Amino acid sequence: MRIIFIGFGVVGQSLARIFQKKKKTLTQLYGIDPQTVAVVDSKGAAIDSKGLDLDEILKMKDSNKSVSEHREVGNPQKTGIDVIREMDAEVMFETTPTNILDSSKGIINIESALKAGINVVTTNKGPLARAMPSLMEMAAYNEVELRFSGTVGGGTPFLKLAKQCLQGDRIITLKGILNGTTNYILTQMADEQISMEKALTDAQQLGYAESDPTNDLDGIDAAVKVVILANWIMNRSVSIDNVEIEGIRQVSQKDIKEAKKAREVIKLLGSVDEELSVKPQRISEKDALNVKNTLNAVSFTTEHSGTITLTGKGAGGVETASAALRDLIDIKNNLSIK
Ligand SMILES: NC(=O)c1ccc[n+]([C@@H]2O[C@H](COP(=O)([O-])OP(=O)(O)OC[C@H]3O[C@@H](n4cnc5c(N)ncnc54)[C@H](OP(=O)(O)O)[C@@H]3O)[C@@H](O)[C@H]2O)c1
């Protein structure tokens, strides 16, 4: 299976390491022999139609070099679009940085691959936030797959549980904790009785929050995940503009203490019901969604099976790469069926 990586940071490299480590298992168990024909980073590409030496490419990134500096197959002039147009491949992994306000670069990468008949696995939420219905339509039209398991819940299979394990049933509503950073902050504010500023600084020091925490604190990251869940699981045709969004900036110690007196906690909940929303809400301490720190949890209310809650780690490079690998295995299985 010929593979292109567009973006080769934490997630891309984690996936490449899994390929190297699990070579035998991938072939024996899943019939997948990944052959990476191109890797693109922000400074150019390394391209070899006979297959790149991934160990060598990983070593270059470990030494803070661009893949375009490869002495034989590096090319600083080539962009992702060039590679997609020029290379024969079955699957492209799109793992460039997420930009919710301007996701045009990611959208162009994904559209170009789909139009070229290349299956796409992305962990980049930006294109899905803005253009998920049209991208899904484009994939169907071109008879290729567009997969994005790593965009919601890291390695925890929220999308797969809902789409495959609950086949034959119908998910009527869902709600959940979809952002680990804000869940950590709210947990620390409640358990340690500290201010939001202090909890945020702690989260940044622990690597749970980015230096610019806007997307997390303002509920935007959670809203993108609401969009992905609504489109993929509940067949809505929506973008981030359809989500009512309120972040956690206004949550005070006073609010948290009042909730505690009533044996409740405040959580940032994303919901897909009649309306799509992200907002801080009080829930019972005994609610299955009362998970702590960076954990994510989603409760699916179904037509026949009641409410099912899945809990797990929401992010992390290796976890997200493992979700992308799941997508690759699904694609391989579907290719074999076709
Ligand atoms: N890390 C996680 O836990 C996690 C979880 C869920 C989703 N995600 C999403 O997955 C994606 C990748 O995350 P990450 O942690 O791997 O990010 P990262 O470490 O910042 O890596 C981003 C990669 O994209 C490359 N890049 C930047 N601009 C590019 C361009 N124009 N063309 C081609 N490549 C370009 C970068 O190049 P250089 O190497 O030259 O800088 C780098 O290799 C992001 O969208 C992120 O939001 C990440």
Side-chain angles (χ1 to χ4, degrees):
M1 203 179 228
R2 287 161 299 180
I3 284 170
I4 295 172
F5 282 95
I6 311 287
F8 204 62
V10 175
V11 175
Q13 290 173 44
S14 298
L15 187 57
R17 287 203 170 84
I18 296 178
F19 283 168
Q20 297 303 81
K21 198 172 144 195
K22 293 198 162 181
K23 225 175 215 159
K24 229 173 163 181
T25 317
L26 286 175
T27 318
Q28 287 175 352
L29 237 56
Y30 306 108
I32 296 176
D33 179 14
Q35 199 187 21
T36 303
V37 293
V39 175
V40 187
D41 64 21
S42 67
K43 299 194 181 71
I47 305 168
D48 188 345
S49 57
K50 294 192 290 298
L52 293 162
D53 178 346
L54 266 189
D55 285 331
E56 197 181 355
I57 298 287
L58 284 165
K59 266 189 205 146
M60 290 184 73
K61 294 305 284 183
D62 282 344
S63 331
N64 288 323
K65 282 187 181 162
S66 163
V67 296
S68 64
E69 293 173 61
H70 193 291
R71 62 195 182 289
E72 285 154 7
V73 292
N75 190 333
Q77 312 301 330
K78 297 279 183 195
T79 65
I81 296 299
D82 298 328
V83 164
I84 294 163
R85 285 197 189 124
E86 291 166 20
M87 299 303 290
D88 272 335
E90 278 76 44
V91 179
M92 172 186 88
F93 287 101
E94 216 284 353
T95 63
T96 62
T98 291
N99 183 336
I100 308 289
L101 286 180
D102 179 9
S103 45
S104 54
K105 279 187 191 158
I107 291 179
I108 291 170
N109 284 339
I110 295 174
E111 284 182 348
S112 307
L114 297 175
K115 282 183 192 160
I118 302 173
N119 299 283
V120 173
V121 176
T122 184
T123 60
N124 177 357
K125 293 178 279 276
L128 302 176
R130 296 281 163 209
M132 189 160 171
S134 65
L135 292 173
M136 282 167 59
E137 214 173 291
M138 193 176 277
Y141 180 79
N142 289 285
E143 297 183 356
V144 285
E145 304 272 344
L146 169 62
R147 292 301 179 101
F148 32 78
S149 294
T151 56
V152 184
T156 312
F158 291 118
L159 297 180
K160 192 142 188 153
L161 173 97
K163 191 84 173 174
Q164 280 174 328
C165 303
L166 292 172
Q167 266 174 354
D169 207 332
R170 188 168 67 90
I171 294 170
I172 302 161
T173 61
L174 65 84
K175 64 179 171 179
I177 294 171
L178 299 164
N179 179 272
T181 308
T182 44
N183 201 42
Y184 178 83
I185 291 171
L186 292 172
T187 307
Q188 291 297 305
M189 284 174 73
D191 289 359
E192 306 299 325
Q193 293 159 31
I194 56 176
S195 67
M196 184 169 299
E197 291 70 29
K198 166 84 175 99
L200 172 61
T201 310
D202 291 351
Q204 285 168 327
Q205 278 166 1
L206 289 163
Y208 298 154
E210 291 175 31
S211 50
D212 176 4
T214 311
N215 280 347
D216 294 324
L217 295 188
D218 291 342
I220 295 162
D221 177 73
V224 177
K225 292 164 181 170
V226 162
V227 168
I228 296 169
L229 286 160
N231 278 290
W232 183 239
I233 293 167
M234 294 164 84
N235 297 324
R236 308 275 181 94
S237 186
V238 290
S239 81
I240 194 157
D241 298 331
N242 302 104
V243 189
E244 183 200 330
I245 310 172
E246 182 189 330
I248 65 163
R249 287 190 202 262
Q250 303 307 320
V251 177
S252 66
Q253 262 304 329
K254 186 168 163 273
D255 299 330
I256 287 177
K257 279 183 185 144
E258 270 175 24
K260 206 170 193 168
K261 269 188 216 154
R263 296 183 178 270
E264 291 180 339
V265 287
I266 298 180
K267 295 287 179 189
L268 183 66
L269 293 186
S271 308
V272 184
D273 206 329
E274 302 281 292
E275 308 288 327
L276 275 58
S277 68
V278 171
K279 53 187 173 207
Q281 291 181 52
R282 278 168 62 157
I283 56 171
S284 161
E285 283 175 354
K286 290 184 183 152
D287 195 304
L289 289 176
N290 182 17
V291 294
K292 285 189 181 275
N293 294 321
T294 58
L295 282 177
N296 283 201
V298 178
S299 289
F300 300 96
T301 299
T302 67
E303 191 176 3
H304 303 301
S305 317
T307 297
I308 297 166
T309 303
L310 182 64
T311 301
K313 272 180 84 174
V318 183
E319 291 83 352
T320 305
S322 85
L325 177 62
R326 272 204 311 270
D327 287 342
L328 179 71
I329 294 168
D330 275 351
I331 288 172
K332 166 69 174 65
N333 290 340
N334 290 347
L335 281 176
S336 311
I337 293 164
K338 273 178 196 166

